[in-house]
Each structure stands twice: as C-alpha cells, then as structure tokens.
Amino acid sequence: MEGKIIKGIAGFFYVSPNAGDQIYECKARGKFRNEKQTPLIGDIVKISTTNYEGSTKGDFLQGTIEEILPRQNQLLRPAVANVDQGIIVFSLSYPVMHLDLLDRFLVIMELSNIDSVIVLNKLDEAFGDKYKEIVNGYRLSGYKVICTSATDGDIDEIKALLKDKTSFFAGPSGVGKSTLLNAICPDFKLETGAVSQKIKRGKHTTRHTELLTLSFGGYVLDTPGFTSLKMDTIEPDLLQDYFIEFNQYKDKCKFNGCTHTHEPDCAVKLAVENGSIYKSRYQSYLNYFEELKNNKKW
Ligand SMILES: Nc1nc2c(ncn2[C@@H]2O[C@H](COP(=O)(O)OP(=O)(O)OP(=O)(O)O)[C@@H](O)[C@H]2O)c(=O)[nH]1
Ligand SMILES: [Mg+2]
Ligand SMILES: [Zn+2]
C-alpha cells in the first residue's frame, strides 16, 4: 500500500494511505537505518500492513515502511520532503523582525530549490509605515511578499496560494504561524501562545511538525519556531548564487569571479548604490560571506 507520512513521533511514522482515511502507525525497516536514510514527513512510502484482529494499538492500524519513493525535494529544518513551497512568516510587531534571519532562510530555500513566499503578519500592529520599505525591497529581489493579519482574518491571499499545494509554514516563534493556520482552517485548532511581555519573544508553543489536510484542497505543515540557522556548508564563493537578484548583474562585473565585496567596477555594488538591489540584502550577503570565509580557516 502507498501513502504519505504526515507525522513522526518517537520512532513511529504516521502514514495516510492514498485511499481511505485510516492512519497507519508504522515503524521503519532496519535497512533504512543501515543506509542512513530517515523517512521524512511528506515522504511517499510503501508500507506493509498487519491487518489481523488485534493489530490496532490505540486508534491506529499498524504497518511497516518498506520503501521510500524518490523525493522531489527535501529540507533539513524543518525536516520535510516533497513540498511545493515554503511560507516564511515574520511579524510586523513583536517579535521584532530580523532581516538577517530571513535572508539566511531564503538562502537555504534557494539551496534546496524550493519556492518561498514571504508573509509579514500582524499588520494590525505594524509599527508605522516603515515596513513598506521592506516589502518593496523583497519584491525588488523577486520574492512574493504578502502582508496579513491573522487576528483580523486578513488571510484571503495566502489561502489562495495554499490551495491544492503542499506548503510548510516556518519562521521565528511567536510570529503567528499557528494562528494564521487556525484562521485559514478553523478545524485545525492548533495551540497558540502569547508573546512574552518582558522579552517580546515567542514561547515555542508548537513542538511538533505535522502535515495537515486543508479542507479546500492541499496540505500544510505547521512547524516549531526557529531562533537561528547555521549555513556553514556553503562555499563562500558560491553564496552569491543564492542571492537570486545578483544573477542579472554579476556577468557585468569587471572581474571574473568577482565576490562583490572589495573589487572595483562591480556591477552588483553599482546596483545597490542606484537602488536596483535592496541594500539590506546586500548587507546580509556581506555578513554571511565574511562569516563563511572565517569558518573556512578552521
Ligand atoms: N496582533 C496580532 N497578534 C497576532 C497575529 N497573529 C498571531 N498573533 C498573536 O501572536 C501570538 C503568537 O502566535 P502563534 O500562532 O502561537 O505563533 P507561532 O508562530 O505559531 O509560534 P511558535 O509555535 O512558538 O513557533 C499569539 O498571542 C497570537 O494571538 C496578528 O495578526 N495580529
Ligand atoms: Mg505555532
Ligand atoms: Zn561584482
């Protein structure tokens, strides 16, 4: 039988078959461990079932994962396979948005070859008009940016984007990922938690990743908030490939292999100066480039 892994807890994988709505609680065959292959949420798997009397434990039928079908794509954090897009959520009020973290996540998404949509939530509490510069900056980079308010029910645009696709929600704790998903599909009844009054940060309310079925078609994953992201596996000289807006300029740099840091006649730097590249994105690039170069010395 073939199905999709919707959840993984403590060594068990929960598989939803293509036909029928019974969920199978499965163990993975030992061979996966030997081959250092871990089943991921979103994986399409073949399972064998033990459908005799008494084979149910609690609410679930029992099965064993025999085979993982080839993945269309995969991500390490959140650990998920076969997704169409990532919805990267940040907040326009508290917790305060760190563009540096957003840019890191976008690089990881480009590396993994998965489309990103940037959602800026808590529009109802936005600090003034300053966010408009950020919205324009990322649109200039080529990303889709949507401003939402989960509490005002201002979510139609994001809903349309999710229809008939497999998407995941990711972003820092407390930005409103679970609240948005509850507004989109009230049946989900996901747990949400207030942002700490004192430190203005989220409290890591969501602990598990689970693939949820959207009533209007498609799947969506809620994930725990992240606080930092490591990117130490990128060659410094390749980093520029993942800042997608640099691509249209870098052939015009004077030097072959220009890193767009200190070289003269750099088309990327010129584009930053004349406002064709958002300067905060370029600043993020410089920060990571330095960081990656320094890491390499070790
Ligand atoms: N004002 C306002 N508050 C919001 C909005 N969306 C969510 N919140 C509040 O923000 C807090 C955090 O929301 P959650 O949905 O738990 O945040 P999360 O991103 O799922 O956080 P983690 O699960 O910890 O990663 C809650 O108190 C929500 O009511 C919004 O659009 N406007
Ligand atoms: Mg949550
Ligand atoms: Zn250059």
Side-chain angles (χ1 to χ4, degrees), residues 172-174 176-179 190-193 204-207 222-225:
S173 176
K177 298 179 293 297
S178 303
T179 312
L190 298 166
E191 195 187 337
T192 64
H204 294 279
T205 308
T206 302
R207 300 262 165 200
D222 192 12
T223 70

Side-chain angles (χ1 to χ4, degrees), residues 181-198:
L181 285 168
N182 283 338
I184 289 161
C185 243
D187 291 349
F188 289 165
K189 297 189 174 68
L190 298 166
E191 195 187 337
T192 64
V195 171
S196 142
Q197 285 287 334
K198 216 159 109 196

Side-chain angles (χ1 to χ4, degrees), residues 170-287:
S173 176
V175 297
K177 298 179 293 297
S178 303
T179 312
L180 274 169
L181 285 168
N182 283 338
I184 289 161
C185 243
D187 291 349
F188 289 165
K189 297 189 174 68
L190 298 166
E191 195 187 337
T192 64
V195 171
S196 142
Q197 285 287 334
K198 216 159 109 196
I199 57 166
K200 308 287 187 199
R201 275 193 258 142
K203 294 171 179 164
H204 294 279
T205 308
T206 302
R207 300 262 165 200
H208 294 292
T209 306
E210 178 171 359
L211 198 58
L212 305 157
T213 307
L214 292 160
S215 56
F216 49 87
Y219 292 95
V220 74
L221 269 161
D222 192 12
T223 70
F226 55 68
T227 37
S228 66
L229 296 161
K230 265 203 152 47
M231 306 208 306
D232 47 10
T233 51
I234 304 173
E235 273 293 316
D237 290 348
L238 296 182
L239 179 67
Q240 56 174 288
D241 295 347
Y242 306 110
F243 278 76
I244 52 171
E245 68 270 49
F246 292 10
N247 280 321
Q248 55 176 306
Y249 301 103
K250 62 189 181 196
D251 288 342
K252 301 188 187 86
C253 295
K254 182 174 178 189
F255 292 101
N256 241 341
C258 183
T259 62
H260 325 304
T261 54
H262 60 278
E263 298 88 343
D265 294 328
C266 168
V268 169
K269 268 199 285 193
L270 190 68
V272 176
E273 274 155 33
N274 69 27
S276 307
I277 289 178
Y278 186 31
K279 58 180 186 305
S280 144
R281 289 271 297 166
Y282 179 65
Q283 192 54 52
S284 290
Y285 169 75
L286 291 181
N287 294 346

Side-chain angles (χ1 to χ4, degrees), residues 74-78 88 101-114 116 143 168 226 228-234 239 242:
Q74 73 181 85
L75 205 66
L76 226 61
R77 267 190 77 188
I88 308 177
L101 196 59
L102 171 58
D103 290 331
R104 267 169 205 250
F105 203 75
L106 289 172
V107 165
I108 292 172
M109 294 291 284
E110 296 302 335
L111 253 167
S112 318
N113 218 352
I114 303 173
S116 306
Y143 287 105
F168 67 82
F226 55 68
S228 66
L229 296 161
K230 265 203 152 47
M231 306 208 306
D232 47 10
T233 51
I234 304 173
L239 179 67
Y242 306 110

